[in-house]
Amino acid sequence: MKIGILVSEGPYTHQASDTAYNFVKAAIEKGHEIYRVFFYHDGVNNATRLTEPPRDDRNIVNRWSELAKQHNLDLVVCIAAAQRRGIMDENEAKRQGKNADNLAEGFRISGLGQLVEAGIQCDRLVTFGD
Amino acid sequence: MLHIVNKSPFDRNSLESCFRMATQGSAVLLIEDAVYGATKGSSVEAKVQGAMAGLKVYALGADLQARGVADRVLDGVTVVDYGGFVDLVAEHGNLQSWL
Amino acid sequence: MTDEMMDEEGVIKKFMFVNRKAPYGTIYALEGLEVVLISAAFEQDVSLAFVDDGVYELKKTQDTKALGQKNFSPTYRALEGYDIEKLYVERESMEMRGLTEDDLLVDVQVVSSAEMADLMAEQDVVISF
């Protein structure tokens, strides 16, 4: 089954990103296809490579990046929500005249249409948020 | 239909709203802080028991265990793991998260 | 996907956006509305549900000048221009908050909890904010 995921909260403050991660792993293990993980609202904060949690804690951002690499996941960050919250890839930083970018490996920035499109293409769309 | 609730019923009204707007025979999965709603002896126990007459209620085991309440799950509530969560999503034609 | 139909454009699904949060206190209502507007471009069968504090999104006479935030409530009136015309308000949520249909800034269909339950159950995709 084709499953889309919407993550609406950032890492650490809420459990949403953890639950989404555990769900995605379990779905892959069961042989389902994760069509896309879309990050919206504060969920875009899951995509900053500048997080540095304590060593004895999980690294939520890296965990997503690694899962994406292993399973060729499409991790999409909403551009409008990302711009509001200071999440940028190299191209966008250049375009906006910023001197730094922070998008973590395995994520890409795109439009909200990617969420609606996931809703259309997937058999299920599961939202994790606050 | 599968309804997913993630808020403690003592903090927010999402469980109550979900019960109000779930059709007969729907499934309700309690995750994260919502699992407190699946425990015995609380002031919402009667409400949850009442809802279970028409709904099937599930709770995520990992969240029950993390919160130290896995040993006091209400009779009639089915505990599932993440794989069971995935199965519930797959088995029901559509779903809603009561954020 | 029992309700899906095929036409030349592709799949048309029933999308429901469920609004349960009040405006301004958090960003969910505003960013939720942004998704609704984008969805119009995909020519899907879109409806909006307003339950719990989401009903407050439709309250007339919102004035955000002193907040320094944008008042986005006029956008709900513009949805018609995007062919988004199915706006449902759950009666119980509205009445619990001391509101009547006259307090709302756009024409809506006020439905009972049971009717809202049926509407939700018939959707292909439900996204809530």
Side-chain angles (χ1 to χ4, degrees), chain A residues 77-96:
Chain A
V77 178
C78 168
I79 186 162
Q83 284 175 336
R84 280 194 178 111
R85 293 161 178 89
I87 304 294
M88 290 199 177
D89 63 10
E90 205 181 336
N91 286 339
E92 186 61 14
K94 264 187 204 142
R95 211 167 66 86
Q96 302 284 350

Side-chain angles (χ1 to χ4, degrees), chain A residues 6 10 18 23-24 77 82 103 108 120 123:
Chain A
L6 169 60
D18 291 288
F23 179 90
V24 166
V77 178
L103 193 74
R108 67 183 178 95
I120 296 168
D123 300 305

Side-chain angles (χ1 to χ4, degrees), chain A residues 33 58 68 85 90 126 129:
Chain A
E33 177 197 345
R58 73 248 189 255
R85 293 161 178 89
E90 205 181 336
V126 192

Side-chain angles (χ1 to χ4, degrees), chain C residues 66-107:
Chain C
L67 292 187
Q69 286 194 37
K70 187 176 153 195
N71 176 1
F72 58 91
S73 65
T75 311
Y76 296 102
R77 277 201 295 261
L79 289 175
E80 207 180 352
Y82 291 83
D83 287 328
I84 295 172
E85 290 168 335
K86 292 184 221 172
L87 276 61
Y88 303 104
V89 169
E90 191 218 10
R91 178 172 289 111
E92 188 161 332
S93 294
M94 183 176 79
E95 289 177 350
M96 245 189 253
R97 286 162 180 76
L99 300 174
T100 67
E101 234 176 307
D102 289 340
D103 293 309
L104 307 182
L105 50 77
V106 68
D107 284 338

